Amino acid sequence: MELHIRQVIFLLLVVRSLTDDLPRKHMDDFIKAVETIELENPGLRPLDVVRGLRKAAGVESPHIQLRLGFLSHTKLYIKPELIGFLTGVIKHRVTEQGVEEGVLLTTDGTTVALTPLLLGLEAGLQSTSPGRVHGLFHLTLIDNLVRSFLHYSQNGPPTSSRLGPGGCWDSVANPQVFTLSGVASLATDSLVTGGMDGVILGKHVAEPEKHPLTLSSLLKQYYNHQLDEGGLDAAPGLISRFCRTNFRKMVKVSVLRKQLTKYLNTFQKLEKYSKKQRQELKKKMEMLNEGLMEFVHNYMDCPAIIPRCMWEAQPYKGTPTMLNLPLPFLYIHHTYEPSQPCLTFQQCSRDMRAMQRFHQHDRGWDDIGYSFVAGSDGYLYEGRGWLWQGAHTKGHNSKGYGVSFIGNYTSSIPAKRAMDLVKHQLAKCATDGERLTPDFILHGHRQVVSTLCPGDAFYHEIQSWEHFAEVKKNPK
């Protein structure tokens, strides 16, 4: 028995060693690979590099050919040992086990599909008319959305989804396997995020004066920007953590609807639809519009929320209590401890874990108390989430969501961009999604519990927010 256990331990150590030697499925590792390729191919334009990467990964289809032309021989030399890595991180697919391939974890904690990102960059880099990129939306988003909506109309739940889901990495430090958290659609969260990034960067590089010197430098600027002492509000606009904000500013719903309708004609031709099939598709236009509205709600109105698995939360203790939605209140908190705003995914994740330990071990609660937590890195973090009752506002936990901002805001207020995530995006997401009532009331923690939370400065600030109200006195 002892020998058997030793053998098992030895095999586990060997597997762990082999896994550790593999390149991570991380944007940083992809950028390093691109840098290596650029050094070995001096003088090649970023467009040549993008097309060479797509060629190496075997990403080609009639739809792509229609928009970008045939992918003939490229001048790019890539070491044979890099080909397997590039194929694995670029070519997208979902396995029968629910593992999503062709995706990368980024420094800011989100997961991105590379194919729509690279297609958007290629379209932008080869554009001949500044400000107008041929086929940009179709290559990055619309093709996946249309296919997903049609697939859903034919199959429906529980065997298919219209959009999403997200998922979890096997390891945040050494990401290798990304497993979806539910039934896969043909437009997963990673494909949508990669598509939105592809639209943003494709439009950016379409301007001749904004052509990057190298592909790797552009990806570094976008995905790896480090916040300085100016924090979130001093950050440049073109960085990945502002993906949803930039996409929302850049794209109107009417434009997306027009692009979707326009693409249907092309789609029918590419798929060789019969006359009967085209007539049936016309009847499904209402269904396609419903899908588009779901997309707008999920990815344009709602903020990006880092799920529990990504900040490495411990399991809930006991049995959670489900909330009775929609709720009439939203309670605003500050954490006080940690007292400093967190500026990176790594810092915010550590703070989340520290708070959960304090709440579970010191306070004796089942989980971290807050429904959601706002970092100063541009993201919200999932606590108890939308469905489960929290432990944030004693006596009122069943009546509302508790949202806390990491930091001590006694004499200062959070970054404006961090506040906007809650003040505008989370609030709209919750009301439109029927999680908060349209006339919900916003209170500071101190209004209903004897506490200084959310700090004097921050409490003064939220008094100007829409939905803020004084506590109604019960008549004697």
Side-chain angles (χ1 to χ4, degrees), residues 142-206:
I142 300 299
D143 177 62
N144 287 329
L145 292 181
V146 167
R147 292 179 188 276
S148 191
F149 298 162
L150 291 176
H151 180 74
Y152 179 79
S153 72
Q154 294 164 0
N155 297 278
T159 59
S160 69
S161 300
R162 189 149 46 195
L163 288 167
C168 297
W169 286 97
D170 56 337
S171 167
V172 175
N174 183 27
Q176 297 291 339
V177 180
F178 186 73
T179 305
L180 294 173
S181 57
V183 177
S185 72
L186 300 184
T188 62
D189 284 359
S190 303
L191 277 171
V192 171
T193 302
M196 291 193 293
D197 282 345
V199 169
I200 293 166
L201 291 178
K203 279 182 170 286
H204 175 74
V205 300

Side-chain angles (χ1 to χ4, degrees), residues 268 273-283:
Q268 293 171 48
Y273 269 32
S274 65
K275 184 177 180 181
K276 183 179 179 181
Q277 287 174 314
R278 290 196 297 270
Q279 290 173 341
E280 290 176 353
L281 186 57
K282 282 184 179 180
K283 296 177 183 177

Side-chain angles (χ1 to χ4, degrees), residues 96-169:
E96 292 182 358
Q97 293 74 36
V99 173
E100 188 173 16
E101 299 177 349
V103 298
L104 294 173
L105 176 62
T106 68
T107 301
D108 63 13
T110 56
T111 300
V112 176
L114 269 183
T115 291
L117 168 66
L118 293 177
L119 290 174
L121 282 168
E122 186 174 340
L125 288 167
Q126 74 173 27
S127 174
T128 56
S129 56
R132 187 173 182 275
V133 185
H134 175 65
L136 178 62
F137 285 96
H138 297 173
L139 288 163
T140 55
L141 278 173
I142 300 299
D143 177 62
N144 287 329
L145 292 181
V146 167
R147 292 179 188 276
S148 191
F149 298 162
L150 291 176
H151 180 74
Y152 179 79
S153 72
Q154 294 164 0
N155 297 278
T159 59
S160 69
S161 300
R162 189 149 46 195
L163 288 167
C168 297
W169 286 97

Side-chain angles (χ1 to χ4, degrees), residues 238-254:
L238 194 72
I239 55 177
S240 60
R241 61 188 79 197
F242 299 148
C243 169
R244 294 193 183 196
T245 302
N246 287 334
F247 188 82
R248 187 170 57 253
K249 288 178 180 178
M250 185 182 295
V251 182
K252 295 180 179 178
V253 177
S254 58

Side-chain angles (χ1 to χ4, degrees), residues 13 17 79 95 101 167 184 186 244 324 332 371 381 383 387 429 438:
L13 289 173
S17 177
K79 288 180 178 179
T95 71
E101 299 177 349
L186 300 184
R244 294 193 183 196
N324 185 20
I332 301 297
S371 306
Y381 287 75
L387 301 179
C429 178

Side-chain angles (χ1 to χ4, degrees), residues 26 105-110 172 241 306-307 309-312 342-353 377 379 381:
H26 197 286
L105 176 62
T106 68
T107 301
D108 63 13
T110 56
V172 175
R241 61 188 79 197
I306 303 294
C309 63
M310 289 303 299
W311 59 265
E312 300 176 287
C342 59
L343 301 180
T344 67
F345 164 65
Q346 292 75 19
Q347 291 173 344
C348 293
S349 295
R350 284 196 297 271
D351 288 346
M352 291 295 291
R353 293 193 296 271
D377 63 335
Y379 290 99
Y381 287 75

